[in-house]
Amino acid sequence: MPVRQPSKPRVRRERSEVRPYHHGDLRRVLIDAALQLAAEGAEVSVREAARRAAVSPGAPFRHFPSRDALMAAVAEEAQRRFRAEIEVALGDAPATDPLGRFRAFGLAYLRWAMRNPAHFEIISTGRYFAHGSSTEVTRDNAEVIALTERMLADAAAQGLLRSTDLKRIQIAGRALVYGFARMNLDGHFPRWGVEEGEIERTAEGVIDLFIAGIARF
Amino acid sequence: MPVRQPSKPRVRRERSEVRPYHHGDLRRVLIDAALQLAAEGAEVSVREAARRAAVSPGAPFRHFPSRDALMAAVAEEAQRRFRAEIEVALGDAPATDPLGRFRAFGLAYLRWAMRNPAHFEIISTGRYFAHGSSTEVTRDNAEVIALTERMLADAAAQGLLRSTDLKRIQIAGRALVYGFARMNLDGHFPRWGVEEGEIERTAEGVIDLFIAGIARF
DNA sequence: TCCTCTATGTAATCATCGATTACATTTCGC
DNA sequence: GCGAAATGTAATCGATGATTACATAGAGGA
């Protein structure tokens, strides 16, 4: 145990070169540190995030009442990025081809989940926040879900689907991509890492199989 | 104290009223305690399991080198039960109807996962053991997977499938049920708990949709 | 029957973590 | 300027996984 310095140094440090007592935007830095921790595969601890922000172990609790609150904020950030990526991908898909959009959606979904497994875990697990609560995460997620519902409704309107039970199709579709993403996350695709693109091509094949299954060819 | 007692204290306590120093089958009891902990939704800690076994906090480490080793044993037990349930369900399905067997398999899978969410989490997550390692869990899981491959091969042999890419169908099927189970686990089915059977009926519908999608109608 | 060896449980201890509290310092509104 | 609010620090608590030294039970050999 280091002995406390008997007297306060009282160093008048230069303003611009030394971290000031107040951090500036500790909240933001903590979220980013936690995101990075997660991306590195390490388990996210408040203390480690504080360490990376070069701040005392108790400091984060000024911005987040609990670890879960920090993780919820992290999830919020990850979910925002996820949604943004989805929307970019859909920006390229013509509105006149709902099944094509559906496909593009699934691809973007899985691509992001494959490339950001830790972030996908955080937004999907429900361990860090309740999916039913009215958080930003939930709203972003609901928006994404609404996207798929619209695509399916458009497809049905154009007579492209074999079944009229859109709810069922939608849940199955969600379960499919969610399951694929989580299988990857949970280590159910053992040796696929060898060639990087293989898993994404498999994802593509699975999506195509699903669309072929629901389409009135 | 250096000398061992030359003669035993010979307390000879009543066998049934006092817990003996040695537990009997602590390993088994710890696994069961951990399973129960998980089923209760609590997070599984070694100490709590020890507490339930009325044993000192360090005792479990005589049987499991680490918490993860305990969880791996728990996963082994859960996976065994899962496989057993699947095989019982398939025992009733005629071998002549591979798609019917496929359906029965999916139903049994999801029923078990819905009713034992914590146990399903433990065997699926890969947080407590590597899915690639040669544990009993992995072998049981591989056996279950092999079951589905046989069913699909049979179906293909009878010309029941639209596609010949069995691998793709198999992965999609796994992703579908896995995803449905995990969505339930992860809280993506908000208010469905009201009527107990609803989620299982939805699961049934999703499975049927999938089979209709792959069947040469 | 005794003795010893080994398996197994206990006690004490450590480091880490989430969390809380008292205190210090900076920042900002008046 | 000044005082209050915001924000960081220091110290501390209880729980946990883990390790170590020690104690005891129980089985097998002499």
Side-chain angles (χ1 to χ4, degrees):
Chain A
M1 232 18 177
V3 180
R4 180 186 322 298
Q5 305 265 21
S7 69
K8 273 286 187 189
R10 207 80 200 103
V11 259
R12 198 67 201 139
R13 1 185 214 209
E14 278 309 308
R15 199 41 114 160
S16 54
E17 69 183 61
V18 177
R19 174 180 58 87
Y21 187 86
H22 281 129
H23 190 288
D25 195 359
L26 182 54
R27 181 189 160 87
R28 178 78 232 158
V29 172
L30 287 170
I31 293 176
D32 287 342
L35 270 169
Q36 197 177 350
L37 249 341
E40 289 166 9
E43 65 175 318
V44 180
S45 79
V46 177
R47 293 178 103 95
E48 182 60 29
R51 232 169 267 134
R52 299 220 173 174
V55 103
S56 78
F61 290 89
R62 289 287 176 190
H63 298 269
F64 306 97
S66 69
R67 174 181 185 277
D68 281 3
L70 167 60
M71 294 310 292
V74 170
E76 207 167 295
E77 175 64 23
Q79 175 78 41
R80 178 178 11 259
R81 296 184 188 180
F82 174 66
R83 177 182 171 188
E85 185 126 331
I86 295 288
E87 286 174 346
V88 165
L90 282 184
D92 299 340
T96 55
D97 177 13
L99 286 185
R101 281 173 70 78
F102 198 71
R103 191 182 123 94
F105 170 86
L107 284 179
Y109 185 120
L110 288 184
R111 256 181 49 122
W112 192 83
M114 302 295 115
R115 298 183 181 184
N116 306 276
H119 296 174
F120 182 79
E121 157 129 42
I122 291 174
I123 68 179
S124 65
T125 290
R127 184 170 19 228
Y128 307 121
F129 62 96
H131 277 280
S133 63
S134 61
T135 61
E136 196 72 24
V137 188
T138 301
R139 290 203 310 129
D140 275 334
N141 191 41
E143 185 54 44
V144 170
I145 292 175
L147 272 178
T148 70
E149 286 170 344
R150 255 172 274 150
M151 292 183 292
L152 285 178
D154 290 349
Q158 295 187 24
L160 299 173
L161 301 180
R162 297 168 60 187
S163 162
T164 59
D165 190 342
L166 298 189
K167 193 71 191 163
R168 182 179 291 188
I169 295 176
Q170 197 246 0
I171 291 183
R174 278 175 69 192
L176 187 79
V177 290
Y178 191 80
F180 195 93
R182 283 227 59 113
M183 283 179 72
N184 176 61
L185 200 63
D186 295 341
H188 290 271
F189 296 148
R191 285 288 141 258
W192 288 14
V194 188
E195 201 239 311
E196 190 50 48
E198 182 176 2
I199 189 168
E200 292 188 9
R201 266 183 281 112
T202 302
E204 189 171 349
V206 164
I207 292 171
D208 286 337
L209 178 72
F210 181 77
I211 293 181
I214 62 172
R216 177 195 301 280
F217 49 128
Chain B
M1 47 201 35
V3 194
R4 200 178 311 268
Q5 304 222 9
S7 68
K8 305 226 185 143
R10 223 70 200 113
V11 236
R12 209 66 207 136
R13 9 184 204 206
E14 277 311 311
R15 210 32 125 161
S16 54
E17 70 182 62
V18 177
R19 177 179 58 87
Y21 189 85
H22 280 125
H23 190 288
D25 194 358
L26 182 55
R27 182 188 160 89
R28 178 78 232 160
V29 172
L30 287 170
I31 293 177
D32 287 342
L35 271 169
Q36 197 178 349
L37 250 338
E40 290 166 9
E43 63 174 319
V44 180
S45 80
V46 177
R47 293 178 103 96
E48 182 59 27
R51 230 168 269 133
R52 299 219 173 177
V55 103
S56 78
F61 290 92
R62 290 287 177 190
H63 298 269
F64 306 97
S66 70
R67 173 181 185 275
D68 281 2
L70 167 60
M71 294 311 293
V74 170
E76 208 166 294
E77 175 63 22
Q79 175 79 42
R80 178 177 10 259
R81 295 183 188 180
F82 174 66
R83 178 182 169 187
E85 183 126 333
I86 296 288
E87 286 175 347
V88 165
L90 282 184
D92 299 339
T96 54
D97 176 13
L99 285 186
R101 281 174 70 77
F102 199 71
R103 193 182 118 95
F105 169 87
L107 284 180
Y109 184 119
L110 287 184
R111 257 180 48 121
W112 192 84
M114 301 297 115
R115 299 183 180 185
N116 307 277
H119 296 172
F120 182 79
E121 158 129 40
I122 291 175
I123 68 178
S124 67
T125 291
R127 183 171 16 229
Y128 307 120
F129 62 95
H131 276 281
S133 64
S134 60
T135 61
E136 196 72 23
V137 188
T138 301
R139 291 205 307 131
D140 275 334
N141 190 40
E143 185 54 43
V144 170
I145 292 175
L147 272 178
T148 70
E149 286 170 344
R150 256 173 273 148
M151 292 184 291
L152 285 178
D154 290 349
Q158 296 185 23
L160 300 174
L161 301 179
R162 296 167 60 187
S163 162
T164 59
D165 191 341
L166 298 190
K167 193 73 191 160
R168 183 178 292 188
I169 296 176
Q170 198 247 0
I171 291 183
R174 278 174 69 192
L176 186 79
V177 289
Y178 191 81
F180 195 92
R182 283 226 59 111
M183 284 179 71
N184 176 61
L185 199 64
D186 295 340
H188 290 271
F189 295 149
R191 285 288 141 252
W192 288 14
V194 189
E195 202 239 313
E196 189 51 49
E198 182 175 1
I199 190 168
E200 291 186 10
R201 265 183 281 113
T202 301
E204 189 172 348
V206 164
I207 291 171
D208 285 338
L209 179 72
F210 181 77
I211 293 181
I214 63 172
R216 179 190 300 279
F217 72 132

